Structure formats: C-alpha cells, structure tokens
Amino acid sequence: MLKANIVAELHRSIKDRGLTQVKAAKLMGISQPDLSHLLRGDFEDYSAERLMKMLTVFEQDVEIVVKPHRRAGEVGRIMFRPTAV
C-alpha cells in the first residue's frame, strides 16, 4: 500500500506541473515506457526507497518518523500522509 500511495503522489505531481510522461520520466531518470507502466500500477520492481527518491525530483520532502504507538502493547502501523499543497 505504501508504494501505491507514493505512485499516486508521483502521478499528482506530474499532473499538477502539466508535464508529459516523456519530460517527467527524464526528470525521474527512467524511460517513458517505464513511467507509463509505473503509473498503471506495475511498480513491483521498484523499491519504496527508489519511489521516494523520485518524489524528491518534484520538490517534495519525504520524512520517515518512528514513534511509539499511542496504545501500549499494540502492534505499530505504517501510515502515509501526503501534505496538502
């Protein structure tokens, strides 16, 4: 789910900037066909780290915060929260 959320943010960033897939792919350091596959949900070959690095190309900071769960004794969770622009 984390990677899907990151890809959704990549798609939003590309769309907000009015970039073509060719221009966006060049910025991200991948080919246009690879970007097309990525945006269509074919991202299993990409690590979450690589996708996060792609977000930084679009002037996005990525923060990873580790903190204790609010309820002692419960398993922690992984959350993705995009910040409103």
Side-chain angles (χ1 to χ4, degrees):
M1 195 67 178
L2 175 62
K3 292 196 304 186
N5 285 323
I6 296 169
V7 170
E9 278 299 302
L10 285 169
H11 187 262
R12 184 195 59 74
S13 294
I14 292 166
K15 196 172 188 175
D16 285 354
R17 286 164 179 75
L19 297 173
T20 64
Q21 283 190 3
V22 172
K23 289 180 182 178
K26 187 173 183 176
L27 286 172
M28 296 164 66
I30 61 175
S31 69
Q32 181 278 324
D34 286 344
L35 177 57
S36 178
H37 290 289
L38 184 73
L39 296 177
R40 285 189 280 127
D42 184 15
F43 46 78
E44 67 271 353
D45 292 339
Y46 293 88
S47 68
E49 180 181 9
R50 185 170 179 199
L51 293 171
M52 288 186 278
K53 285 181 182 179
M54 290 178 186
L55 269 178
T56 65
V57 169
F58 298 103
E59 301 171 356
Q60 299 294 306
D61 289 334
V62 177
E63 293 182 11
I64 298 173
V65 178
V66 179
K67 62 182 182 178
H69 193 291
R70 59 188 172 149
R71 293 187 186 148
E74 289 190 18
V75 176
R77 58 192 172 167
I78 299 172
M79 299 183 319
F80 181 87
R81 287 189 214 162
T83 306
V85 180

